[in-house]
Amino acid sequence: MLFRQLFDAESSTYTYLLADLATREAVLIDPVLEQVERDVRLVQELGLKLQVVLETHVHADHITAAGLLRERTGARVFASARGAPCVDRQLSQGDVVRVGGIEVRVLETPGHTDDSLSFLCDGRLFSGDALLVRGTGRTDFQNGDPGQLYDSITRELFSLPDATEVYPAHDYAGFTMTSVGEEKRHNPRLAGKSREDFVAFMKARQIPPPRKLDVAVPANRACGLSEPSSPHPA
Amino acid sequence: MLFRQLFDAESSTYTYLLADLATREAVLIDPVLEQVERDVRLVQELGLKLQVVLETHVHADHITAAGLLRERTGARVFASARGAPCVDRQLSQGDVVRVGGIEVRVLETPGHTDDSLSFLCDGRLFSGDALLVRGTGRTDFQNGDPGQLYDSITRELFSLPDATEVYPAHDYAGFTMTSVGEEKRHNPRLAGKSREDFVAFMKARQIPPPRKLDVAVPANRACGLSEPSSPHPA
Protein backbone atom coordinates (compact mmCIF):
# COMPACT_ATOMS: atom_id res chain seq x y z
CA MET A 1 0.00 0.00 0.00
CA LEU A 2 1.18 3.48 -0.80
CA PHE A 3 0.84 6.01 2.01
CA ARG A 4 1.51 9.73 1.88
CA GLN A 5 1.02 12.48 4.41
CA LEU A 6 0.50 15.98 3.02
CA PHE A 7 0.34 19.28 4.89
CA ASP A 8 -1.49 22.55 4.37
CA ALA A 9 0.57 25.15 6.22
CA GLU A 10 -2.12 27.84 6.31
CA SER A 11 -4.62 25.71 8.27
CA SER A 12 -2.06 23.23 9.67
CA THR A 13 -4.17 20.44 8.15
CA TYR A 14 -2.89 16.99 7.28
CA THR A 15 -4.29 15.25 4.22
CA TYR A 16 -3.61 11.55 3.68
CA LEU A 17 -3.29 9.62 0.45
CA LEU A 18 -3.71 5.83 0.53
CA ALA A 19 -3.44 3.67 -2.56
CA ASP A 20 -3.48 0.04 -3.59
CA LEU A 21 -0.26 -0.33 -5.59
CA ALA A 22 -1.69 -3.30 -7.53
CA THR A 23 -4.94 -1.74 -8.75
CA ARG A 24 -3.67 1.90 -8.46
CA GLU A 25 -6.94 2.87 -6.77
CA ALA A 26 -6.60 5.66 -4.22
CA VAL A 27 -8.32 7.31 -1.27
CA LEU A 28 -7.76 10.86 0.00
CA ILE A 29 -8.64 11.75 3.58
CA ASP A 30 -9.44 15.39 4.39
CA PRO A 31 -8.19 17.19 1.28
CA VAL A 32 -7.92 21.00 1.45
CA LEU A 33 -9.38 23.23 -1.27
CA GLU A 34 -6.26 25.37 -1.69
CA GLN A 35 -4.14 22.23 -2.25
CA VAL A 36 -6.30 20.66 -4.94
CA GLU A 37 -3.80 21.27 -7.75
CA ARG A 38 -0.96 19.77 -5.71
CA ASP A 39 -3.03 16.73 -4.81
CA VAL A 40 -4.48 16.08 -8.27
CA ARG A 41 -1.01 16.35 -9.74
CA LEU A 42 0.48 13.98 -7.18
CA VAL A 43 -2.25 11.40 -7.80
CA GLN A 44 -1.60 11.70 -11.53
CA GLU A 45 2.20 11.51 -11.23
CA LEU A 46 1.92 8.41 -9.08
CA GLY A 47 -0.28 6.81 -11.72
CA LEU A 48 -3.25 6.51 -9.36
CA LYS A 49 -6.99 6.77 -9.84
CA LEU A 50 -8.77 8.61 -7.04
CA GLN A 51 -11.86 6.60 -6.10
CA VAL A 52 -12.96 7.91 -2.72
CA VAL A 53 -12.58 11.06 -0.65
CA LEU A 54 -13.13 10.48 3.06
CA GLU A 55 -13.95 13.34 5.42
CA THR A 56 -13.39 12.91 9.13
CA HIS A 57 -15.98 15.65 9.81
CA VAL A 58 -17.42 18.95 8.61
CA HIS A 59 -14.36 21.14 9.13
CA ALA A 60 -14.52 24.64 10.59
CA ASP A 61 -10.97 25.79 9.87
CA HIS A 62 -10.55 25.13 6.17
CA ILE A 63 -12.68 24.38 3.12
CA THR A 64 -12.62 20.85 1.81
CA ALA A 65 -11.54 19.96 -1.72
CA ALA A 66 -13.96 16.99 -1.72
CA GLY A 67 -16.58 18.46 -4.06
CA LEU A 68 -14.03 19.81 -6.52
CA LEU A 69 -12.17 16.48 -6.53
CA ARG A 70 -15.48 14.71 -7.22
CA GLU A 71 -16.06 16.99 -10.21
CA ARG A 72 -12.53 16.67 -11.54
CA THR A 73 -11.81 13.00 -10.94
CA GLY A 74 -15.16 11.26 -10.52
CA ALA A 75 -14.23 10.21 -6.98
CA ARG A 76 -17.08 9.65 -4.54
CA VAL A 77 -17.26 11.51 -1.22
CA PHE A 78 -17.94 9.58 1.97
CA ALA A 79 -18.52 11.05 5.43
CA SER A 80 -20.68 10.69 8.52
CA ALA A 81 -24.42 10.31 8.27
CA ARG A 82 -24.56 13.18 10.77
CA GLY A 83 -22.47 15.49 8.61
CA ALA A 84 -22.65 17.20 5.21
CA PRO A 85 -25.70 16.36 3.05
CA CYS A 86 -23.60 16.54 -0.14
CA VAL A 87 -21.94 13.15 0.30
CA ASP A 88 -22.30 10.06 -1.88
CA ARG A 89 -22.27 7.62 1.01
CA GLN A 90 -23.09 8.13 4.65
CA LEU A 91 -20.81 6.24 7.00
CA SER A 92 -21.58 4.80 10.42
CA GLN A 93 -19.77 2.87 13.15
CA GLY A 94 -18.29 -0.38 11.88
CA ASP A 95 -18.71 0.36 8.18
CA VAL A 96 -15.85 -0.77 5.99
CA VAL A 97 -14.85 1.22 2.92
CA ARG A 98 -13.13 -0.96 0.32
CA VAL A 99 -11.02 0.57 -2.46
CA GLY A 100 -8.99 -2.01 -4.34
CA GLY A 101 -7.39 -4.10 -1.62
CA ILE A 102 -7.59 -1.27 0.90
CA GLU A 103 -10.01 -1.67 3.77
CA VAL A 104 -10.84 1.35 5.89
CA ARG A 105 -12.85 0.71 9.04
CA VAL A 106 -15.11 3.52 10.28
CA LEU A 107 -15.15 4.48 13.95
CA GLU A 108 -17.63 7.05 15.24
CA THR A 109 -15.68 9.38 17.53
CA PRO A 110 -17.97 12.34 18.27
CA GLY A 111 -17.13 15.13 20.69
CA HIS A 112 -15.09 17.61 18.64
CA THR A 113 -18.18 17.73 16.43
CA ASP A 114 -21.18 15.41 16.48
CA ASP A 115 -20.27 14.01 13.04
CA SER A 116 -16.61 13.19 13.79
CA LEU A 117 -15.31 9.90 12.44
CA SER A 118 -11.94 8.22 12.75
CA PHE A 119 -10.66 5.78 10.14
CA LEU A 120 -8.57 2.68 10.76
CA CYS A 121 -6.53 1.17 7.96
CA ASP A 122 -3.65 -1.29 8.11
CA GLY A 123 -2.49 -0.37 11.63
CA ARG A 124 -2.89 3.35 11.03
CA LEU A 125 -5.57 5.40 12.74
CA PHE A 126 -6.67 8.63 11.08
CA SER A 127 -8.07 10.39 14.11
CA GLY A 128 -9.43 13.60 12.60
CA ASP A 129 -9.81 16.30 15.24
CA ALA A 130 -10.68 13.80 17.99
CA LEU A 131 -7.19 12.80 19.11
CA LEU A 132 -4.26 15.06 18.28
CA VAL A 133 -0.58 14.64 19.18
CA ARG A 134 -0.48 15.50 22.89
CA GLY A 135 -3.82 17.23 22.49
CA THR A 136 -7.42 16.88 21.35
CA GLY A 137 -9.82 18.78 19.16
CA ARG A 138 -11.76 21.63 20.73
CA THR A 139 -15.38 21.11 21.76
CA ASP A 140 -16.92 24.58 21.78
CA PHE A 141 -18.88 24.65 18.50
CA GLN A 142 -20.71 22.41 16.00
CA ASN A 143 -22.37 20.44 18.80
CA GLY A 144 -19.02 19.65 20.37
CA ASP A 145 -19.22 17.93 23.74
CA PRO A 146 -16.18 17.39 25.97
CA GLY A 147 -17.65 14.41 27.83
CA GLN A 148 -18.46 12.72 24.55
CA LEU A 149 -14.96 13.44 23.23
CA TYR A 150 -13.40 11.93 26.36
CA ASP A 151 -15.52 8.81 25.87
CA SER A 152 -14.69 8.59 22.15
CA ILE A 153 -10.98 8.74 22.83
CA THR A 154 -10.73 6.65 25.98
CA ARG A 155 -13.29 3.96 25.11
CA GLU A 156 -12.97 3.76 21.33
CA LEU A 157 -9.49 4.89 20.30
CA PHE A 158 -7.61 3.80 23.42
CA SER A 159 -9.06 0.29 23.03
CA LEU A 160 -6.88 -0.11 19.92
CA PRO A 161 -3.44 -1.73 20.30
CA ASP A 162 -0.81 0.59 21.80
CA ALA A 163 1.32 0.24 18.66
CA THR A 164 -1.43 1.68 16.44
CA GLU A 165 0.04 4.65 14.58
CA VAL A 166 -2.07 7.78 14.96
CA TYR A 167 -2.26 10.34 12.17
CA PRO A 168 -4.25 13.45 13.17
CA ALA A 169 -6.03 15.98 10.97
CA HIS A 170 -3.93 18.79 12.40
CA ASP A 171 -0.76 19.56 14.22
CA TYR A 172 0.53 22.94 15.30
CA ALA A 173 3.89 21.98 16.81
CA GLY A 174 5.59 20.08 13.99
CA PHE A 175 4.61 16.55 15.00
CA THR A 176 3.52 14.33 12.12
CA MET A 177 2.19 11.33 14.04
CA THR A 178 2.00 9.55 17.37
CA SER A 179 0.77 6.20 18.69
CA VAL A 180 -2.12 5.06 20.85
CA GLY A 181 0.26 3.94 23.61
CA GLU A 182 2.11 7.22 23.56
CA GLU A 183 -1.06 9.29 23.90
CA LYS A 184 -2.36 7.07 26.70
CA ARG A 185 0.85 7.78 28.60
CA HIS A 186 1.74 11.33 27.61
CA ASN A 187 -1.31 13.26 26.42
CA PRO A 188 -1.53 15.99 29.07
CA ARG A 189 -5.33 16.24 28.77
CA LEU A 190 -5.91 12.52 29.15
CA ALA A 191 -3.09 10.69 30.94
CA GLY A 192 -4.20 10.19 34.52
CA LYS A 193 -7.17 12.50 33.99
CA SER A 194 -10.77 11.62 34.77
CA ARG A 195 -13.73 12.44 32.57
CA GLU A 196 -14.55 15.24 35.02
CA ASP A 197 -11.00 16.64 34.81
CA PHE A 198 -11.19 16.65 31.02
CA VAL A 199 -14.63 18.28 30.88
CA ALA A 200 -13.59 20.96 33.36
CA PHE A 201 -10.38 21.68 31.43
CA MET A 202 -12.17 21.94 28.09
CA LYS A 203 -14.94 24.14 29.48
CA ALA A 204 -12.47 26.51 31.11
CA ARG A 205 -10.53 27.13 27.88
CA GLN A 206 -10.96 30.57 26.34
CA ILE A 207 -9.83 30.51 22.74
CA PRO A 208 -11.11 32.54 19.81
CA PRO A 209 -13.33 30.78 17.26
CA PRO A 210 -11.64 29.52 14.06
CA ARG A 211 -11.17 32.44 11.68
CA LYS A 212 -13.02 30.65 8.88
CA LEU A 213 -15.84 29.15 11.00
CA ASP A 214 -18.71 31.10 9.44
CA VAL A 215 -17.49 30.47 5.91
CA ALA A 216 -16.06 26.98 6.21
CA VAL A 217 -18.94 25.16 7.87
CA PRO A 218 -21.62 26.09 5.29
CA ALA A 219 -19.14 25.58 2.44
CA ASN A 220 -18.16 22.16 3.77
CA ARG A 221 -21.79 21.13 4.10
CA ALA A 222 -21.77 21.57 0.31
CA CYS A 223 -18.49 19.58 0.01
CA GLY A 224 -16.58 22.84 -0.48
CA LEU A 225 -18.50 24.02 -3.52
CA SER A 226 -20.47 27.24 -3.35
CA GLU A 227 -23.02 25.69 -5.71
CA PRO A 228 -23.79 22.28 -4.21
CA SER A 229 -23.02 19.53 -6.71
CA SER A 230 -25.16 16.44 -6.96
CA PRO A 231 -23.85 13.33 -5.33
CA HIS A 232 -23.20 10.42 -7.65
CA PRO A 233 -25.34 7.34 -7.04
CA ALA A 234 -23.50 5.19 -4.49
CA MET B 1 13.13 0.71 14.38
CA LEU B 2 11.27 3.80 15.46
CA PHE B 3 11.05 6.58 12.91
CA ARG B 4 9.62 10.06 13.37
CA GLN B 5 9.49 13.06 11.10
CA LEU B 6 9.28 16.47 12.79
CA PHE B 7 8.74 19.88 11.24
CA ASP B 8 9.85 23.41 12.06
CA ALA B 9 7.28 25.67 10.44
CA GLU B 10 9.35 28.85 10.61
CA SER B 11 12.22 27.48 8.49
CA SER B 12 10.22 24.64 6.85
CA THR B 13 12.88 22.24 8.13
CA TYR B 14 12.34 18.53 8.68
CA THR B 15 14.12 16.86 11.58
CA TYR B 16 14.22 13.06 11.78
CA LEU B 17 14.34 10.83 14.82
CA LEU B 18 15.54 7.23 14.40
CA ALA B 19 15.76 4.80 17.29
CA ASP B 20 16.56 1.19 17.99
CA LEU B 21 13.53 -0.04 19.92
CA ALA B 22 15.55 -2.78 21.60
CA THR B 23 18.41 -0.70 22.99
CA ARG B 24 16.40 2.59 23.03
CA GLU B 25 19.38 4.38 21.44
CA ALA B 26 18.46 7.25 19.14
CA VAL B 27 19.75 9.47 16.38
CA LEU B 28 18.45 12.93 15.43
CA ILE B 29 19.11 14.30 11.95
CA ASP B 30 19.13 18.09 11.47
CA PRO B 31 17.54 19.29 14.72
CA VAL B 32 16.48 22.97 14.89
CA LEU B 33 17.48 25.20 17.81
CA GLU B 34 13.97 26.59 18.39
CA GLN B 35 12.56 23.05 18.65
CA VAL B 36 15.03 21.73 21.20
CA GLU B 37 12.48 21.56 24.03
CA ARG B 38 9.99 19.67 21.84
CA ASP B 39 12.65 17.24 20.68
CA VAL B 40 14.24 16.59 24.09
CA ARG B 41 10.81 16.00 25.55
CA LEU B 42 9.81 13.61 22.77
CA VAL B 43 13.04 11.62 23.19
CA GLN B 44 12.36 11.44 26.91
CA GLU B 45 8.69 10.48 26.57
CA LEU B 46 9.60 7.72 24.15
CA GLY B 47 12.11 6.39 26.65
CA LEU B 48 15.05 6.93 24.31
CA LYS B 49 18.65 7.91 24.84
CA LEU B 50 19.97 10.32 22.25
CA GLN B 51 23.41 9.10 21.17
CA VAL B 52 24.18 10.90 17.94
CA VAL B 53 23.13 14.07 16.14
CA LEU B 54 23.76 13.96 12.40
CA GLU B 55 23.95 17.12 10.32
CA THR B 56 23.46 16.92 6.58
CA HIS B 57 25.41 20.18 6.17
CA VAL B 58 26.14 23.59 7.67
CA HIS B 59 22.68 25.13 7.32
CA ALA B 60 22.10 28.70 6.19
CA ASP B 61 18.40 29.02 6.97
CA HIS B 62 18.17 27.96 10.58
CA ILE B 63 20.42 27.40 13.57
CA THR B 64 21.12 23.82 14.57
CA ALA B 65 20.27 22.41 18.00
CA ALA B 66 23.26 20.03 17.76
CA GLY B 67 25.53 21.81 20.24
CA LEU B 68 22.78 22.37 22.77
CA LEU B 69 21.66 18.75 22.47
CA ARG B 70 25.26 17.65 23.03
CA GLU B 71 25.39 19.73 26.21
CA ARG B 72 22.00 18.55 27.48
CA THR B 73 22.08 14.87 26.56
CA GLY B 74 25.72 13.92 26.01
CA ALA B 75 24.98 13.02 22.38
CA ARG B 76 27.85 13.31 19.95
CA VAL B 77 27.62 15.44 16.81
CA PHE B 78 28.66 13.98 13.45
CA ALA B 79 28.89 15.84 10.14
CA SER B 80 31.04 16.22 7.06
CA ALA B 81 34.80 16.60 7.32
CA ARG B 82 34.31 19.65 5.08
CA GLY B 83 31.79 21.28 7.44
CA ALA B 84 31.64 22.65 10.96
CA PRO B 85 34.81 22.31 13.07
CA CYS B 86 32.74 21.76 16.24
CA VAL B 87 31.82 18.14 15.48
CA ASP B 88 32.86 15.02 17.38
CA ARG B 89 33.31 12.89 14.28
CA GLN B 90 33.98 13.88 10.69
CA LEU B 91 32.12 11.78 8.17
CA SER B 92 33.16 10.84 4.63
CA GLN B 93 31.76 8.83 1.73
CA GLY B 94 30.99 5.25 2.69
CA ASP B 95 31.29 5.71 6.44
CA VAL B 96 28.74 3.81 8.50
CA VAL B 97 27.37 5.28 11.72
CA ARG B 98 26.18 2.56 14.11
CA VAL B 99 23.82 3.37 16.98
CA GLY B 100 22.39 0.26 18.61
CA GLY B 101 21.23 -1.85 15.70
CA ILE B 102 20.80 1.16 13.44
CA GLU B 103 23.23 1.53 10.57
CA VAL B 104 23.39 4.83 8.73
CA ARG B 105 25.47 4.91 5.56
CA VAL B 106 27.07 8.21 4.60
CA LEU B 107 26.89 9.50 1.03
CA GLU B 108 28.76 12.63 0.00
CA THR B 109 26.35 14.69 -2.09
CA PRO B 110 27.97 18.12 -2.53
CA GLY B 111 26.54 20.88 -4.70
CA HIS B 112 24.06 22.69 -2.45
CA THR B 113 27.07 23.24 -0.21
CA ASP B 114 30.48 21.64 -0.44
CA ASP B 115 29.92 19.76 2.84
CA SER B 116 26.50 18.26 1.99
CA LEU B 117 25.93 14.67 3.02
CA SER B 118 22.97 12.35 2.54
CA PHE B 119 22.25 9.49 4.90
CA LEU B 120 20.86 6.09 3.98
CA CYS B 121 19.20 3.94 6.62
CA ASP B 122 16.90 0.96 6.22
CA GLY B 123 15.53 1.94 2.78
CA ARG B 124 15.15 5.59 3.72
CA LEU B 125 17.33 8.29 2.22
CA PHE B 126 17.76 11.52 4.18
CA SER B 127 18.73 13.79 1.34
CA GLY B 128 19.40 17.06 3.15
CA ASP B 129 19.20 20.01 0.75
CA ALA B 130 20.53 18.01 -2.20
CA LEU B 131 17.32 16.39 -3.43
CA LEU B 132 13.98 17.92 -2.43
CA VAL B 133 10.47 16.81 -3.40
CA ARG B 134 10.16 17.96 -7.04
CA GLY B 135 13.07 20.31 -6.45
CA THR B 136 16.68 20.62 -5.30
CA GLY B 137 18.65 22.77 -2.94
CA ARG B 138 19.94 26.10 -4.22
CA THR B 139 23.58 26.43 -5.25
CA ASP B 140 24.37 30.13 -4.95
CA PHE B 141 26.28 30.33 -1.66
CA GLN B 142 28.57 28.30 0.67
CA ASN B 143 30.58 26.98 -2.29
CA GLY B 144 27.46 25.66 -3.96
CA ASP B 145 27.98 24.32 -7.46
CA PRO B 146 25.11 23.36 -9.75
CA GLY B 147 27.15 20.94 -11.87
CA GLN B 148 28.34 19.17 -8.75
CA LEU B 149 24.75 19.02 -7.40
CA TYR B 150 23.51 17.50 -10.67
CA ASP B 151 26.23 14.86 -10.45
CA SER B 152 25.51 14.13 -6.77
CA ILE B 153 21.84 13.57 -7.47
CA THR B 154 21.99 11.77 -10.78
CA ARG B 155 25.08 9.61 -10.14
CA GLU B 156 24.85 9.00 -6.39
CA LEU B 157 21.21 9.28 -5.31
CA PHE B 158 19.56 8.11 -8.53
CA SER B 159 21.71 4.97 -8.43
CA LEU B 160 19.69 3.83 -5.39
CA PRO B 161 16.66 1.57 -5.95
CA ASP B 162 13.60 3.42 -7.25
CA ALA B 163 11.61 2.36 -4.19
CA THR B 164 14.02 4.14 -1.82
CA GLU B 165 11.98 6.56 0.28
CA VAL B 166 13.39 10.08 0.20
CA TYR B 167 13.08 12.37 3.22
CA PRO B 168 14.37 15.88 2.50
CA ALA B 169 15.61 18.53 4.95
CA HIS B 170 12.94 20.96 3.76
CA ASP B 171 9.67 21.20 1.98
CA TYR B 172 7.70 24.33 1.19
CA ALA B 173 4.58 22.82 -0.42
CA GLY B 174 3.36 20.37 2.20
CA PHE B 175 5.04 17.23 0.89
CA THR B 176 6.59 15.03 3.56
CA MET B 177 8.48 12.57 1.39
CA THR B 178 9.03 11.17 -2.08
CA SER B 179 10.91 8.27 -3.68
CA VAL B 180 13.95 7.96 -5.90
CA GLY B 181 11.84 6.63 -8.79
CA GLU B 182 9.33 9.43 -8.46
CA GLU B 183 12.01 12.14 -8.57
CA LYS B 184 13.73 10.50 -11.55
CA ARG B 185 10.42 10.70 -13.42
CA HIS B 186 8.81 13.88 -12.11
CA ASN B 187 11.41 16.29 -10.73
CA PRO B 188 11.05 19.23 -13.14
CA ARG B 189 14.71 20.24 -12.77
CA LEU B 190 16.04 16.76 -13.47
CA ALA B 191 13.65 14.56 -15.44
CA GLY B 192 14.79 14.63 -19.06
CA LYS B 193 17.23 17.45 -18.28
CA SER B 194 20.94 17.42 -19.10
CA ARG B 195 23.68 18.65 -16.79
CA GLU B 196 23.88 21.76 -18.97
CA ASP B 197 20.11 22.36 -18.68
CA PHE B 198 20.34 22.07 -14.90
CA VAL B 199 23.36 24.35 -14.58
CA ALA B 200 21.76 26.97 -16.83
CA PHE B 201 18.49 26.83 -14.86
CA MET B 202 20.21 27.15 -11.49
CA LYS B 203 22.48 30.00 -12.66
CA ALA B 204 19.53 31.95 -14.10
CA ARG B 205 17.54 31.85 -10.85
CA GLN B 206 17.27 35.16 -9.01
CA ILE B 207 16.20 34.53 -5.44
CA PRO B 208 17.05 36.50 -2.32
CA PRO B 209 19.60 35.01 0.08
CA PRO B 210 18.25 33.16 3.14
CA ARG B 211 17.21 35.68 5.75
CA LYS B 212 19.41 34.08 8.40
CA LEU B 213 22.46 33.40 6.18
CA ASP B 214 24.88 35.76 7.94
CA VAL B 215 23.85 34.57 11.39
CA ALA B 216 23.16 30.89 10.77
CA VAL B 217 26.35 29.88 8.98
CA PRO B 218 28.79 31.12 11.66
CA ALA B 219 26.48 29.84 14.42
CA ASN B 220 26.25 26.44 12.79
CA ARG B 221 30.00 26.21 12.41
CA ALA B 222 29.92 26.30 16.24
CA CYS B 223 27.13 23.65 16.31
CA GLY B 224 24.59 26.39 17.05
CA LEU B 225 26.24 27.67 20.22
CA SER B 226 27.49 31.24 20.36
CA GLU B 227 30.32 30.03 22.59
CA PRO B 228 31.78 27.01 20.79
CA SER B 229 31.66 23.95 23.05
CA SER B 230 34.38 21.35 23.04
CA PRO B 231 33.72 18.19 21.13
CA HIS B 232 33.71 15.03 23.21
CA PRO B 233 36.42 12.51 22.38
CA ALA B 234 35.07 10.26 19.59
Side-chain angles (χ1 to χ4, degrees):
Chain A
M1 195 178 91
L2 180 142
F3 170 68
R4 287 291 164 91
Q5 184 173 31
L6 299 156
F7 188 59
D8 174 62
E10 204 244 319
S11 62
S12 298
T13 300
Y14 282 121
T15 295
Y16 298 97
L17 175 65
L18 316 177
D20 179 329
L21 284 171
T23 69
R24 314 307 293 181
E25 292 169 291
V27 176
L28 265 177
I29 302 176
D30 288 338
V32 173
L33 186 60
E34 288 81 356
Q35 302 294 349
V36 74
E37 298 304 330
R38 177 196 67 187
D39 296 351
V40 165
R41 185 171 183 158
L42 180 63
V43 165
Q44 182 183 35
E45 287 180 348
L46 293 171
L48 305 175
K49 173 154 177 47
L50 186 63
Q51 299 283 18
V52 169
V53 174
L54 292 174
E55 295 278 1
T56 54
H57 62 295
V58 173
H59 305 278
D61 52 5
H62 69 272
I63 297 177
T64 178
L68 192 54
L69 286 166
R70 175 163 64 188
E71 288 190 351
R72 289 185 51 172
T73 70
R76 293 184 301 151
V77 179
F78 297 176
S80 169
R82 290 191 186 80
C86 60
V87 300
D88 300 284
R89 178 176 163 192
Q90 295 186 325
L91 301 173
S92 303
Q93 178 75 17
D95 283 353
V96 176
V97 175
R98 290 188 176 81
V99 174
I102 296 172
E103 291 194 352
V104 180
R105 186 151 68 88
V106 176
L107 307 174
E108 290 185 354
T109 49
H112 167 61
T113 63
D114 57 359
D115 72 319
S116 288
L117 302 177
S118 296
F119 301 116
L120 188 64
C121 179
D122 197 26
R124 293 187 179 99
L125 175 72
F126 302 95
S127 59
D129 285 17
L131 181 59
L132 306 179
V133 183
R134 309 294 190 269
T136 66
R138 55 196 289 179
T139 54
D140 54 340
F141 52 77
Q142 285 179 277
N143 304 314
D145 180 316
Q148 200 176 38
L149 181 57
Y150 185 88
D151 295 341
S152 290
I153 296 172
T154 58
R155 295 182 192 172
E156 188 73 41
L157 302 184
F158 283 1
S159 71
L160 297 168
D162 277 7
T164 307
E165 296 183 352
V166 177
Y167 292 89
H170 298 287
D171 192 85
Y172 306 93
F175 293 105
T176 56
M177 61 159 297
T178 180
S179 72
V180 165
E182 215 176 303
E183 294 309 312
K184 279 185 191 169
R185 283 191 297 277
H186 300 299
N187 191 307
R189 298 186 190 176
L190 299 160
K193 299 292 167 68
S194 69
R195 193 176 195 274
E196 289 64 37
D197 293 338
F198 182 78
V199 170
F201 172 81
M202 296 302 282
K203 288 199 168 166
R205 290 180 88 209
Q206 298 288 344
I207 45 175
R211 199 167 45 81
K212 291 192 178 178
L213 178 65
D214 294 339
V215 175
V217 172
N220 288 333
R221 288 185 57 82
C223 290
L225 297 169
S226 47
E227 295 290 315
S229 70
S230 301
H232 299 194
Chain B
M1 194 177 91
L2 180 143
F3 171 67
R4 287 290 165 92
Q5 184 172 31
L6 300 155
F7 188 59
D8 174 62
E10 203 244 320
S11 62
S12 298
T13 300
Y14 283 121
T15 295
Y16 298 96
L17 175 66
L18 316 177
D20 179 330
L21 284 171
T23 68
R24 314 305 294 181
E25 293 168 291
V27 176
L28 265 177
I29 301 176
D30 288 339
V32 174
L33 186 61
E34 288 81 358
Q35 303 294 349
V36 73
E37 297 304 332
R38 176 195 69 187
D39 295 351
V40 165
R41 183 170 184 159
L42 180 63
V43 165
Q44 183 183 34
E45 287 180 348
L46 294 171
L48 305 175
K49 172 154 178 47
L50 186 63
Q51 298 284 19
V52 168
V53 174
L54 291 174
E55 296 278 1
T56 55
H57 61 294
V58 173
H59 305 278
D61 52 5
H62 68 273
I63 296 176
T64 178
L68 192 54
L69 286 165
R70 177 164 62 190
E71 287 190 351
R72 289 186 51 173
T73 70
R76 293 183 302 153
V77 180
F78 298 177
S80 168
R82 290 192 186 79
C86 58
V87 301
D88 300 284
R89 178 176 163 192
Q90 295 187 326
L91 301 173
S92 303
Q93 177 75 17
D95 283 352
V96 176
V97 175
R98 290 187 176 83
V99 175
I102 297 172
E103 291 196 351
V104 179
R105 187 151 68 88
V106 176
L107 307 175
E108 290 185 355
T109 50
H112 167 61
T113 62
D114 57 359
D115 71 319
S116 288
L117 303 178
S118 295
F119 301 116
L120 188 64
C121 178
D122 198 26
R124 293 187 179 99
L125 175 71
F126 302 95
S127 58
D129 284 19
L131 181 59
L132 306 180
V133 183
R134 308 296 190 268
T136 67
R138 56 197 291 180
T139 53
D140 54 337
F141 52 78
Q142 283 179 280
N143 303 317
D145 180 317
Q148 199 176 39
L149 180 57
Y150 184 89
D151 295 341
S152 290
I153 296 172
T154 58
R155 295 181 192 172
E156 188 74 40
L157 303 184
F158 283 0
S159 71
L160 297 168
D162 276 7
T164 307
E165 296 183 351
V166 177
Y167 292 89
H170 299 287
D171 192 85
Y172 307 93
F175 294 105
T176 56
M177 61 158 300
T178 181
S179 72
V180 165
E182 215 176 302
E183 294 308 313
K184 279 186 190 169
R185 283 191 298 278
H186 300 298
N187 191 308
R189 299 186 190 177
L190 298 160
K193 300 291 167 70
S194 68
R195 192 177 197 273
E196 289 65 38
D197 294 336
F198 183 78
V199 170
F201 172 82
M202 296 302 283
K203 288 199 168 166
R205 292 179 87 209
Q206 298 287 343
I207 44 175
R211 199 167 45 81
K212 290 192 178 176
L213 178 65
D214 294 340
V215 175
V217 171
N220 288 332
R221 289 184 57 81
C223 289
L225 297 169
S226 48
E227 295 290 316
S229 71
S230 303
H232 299 193

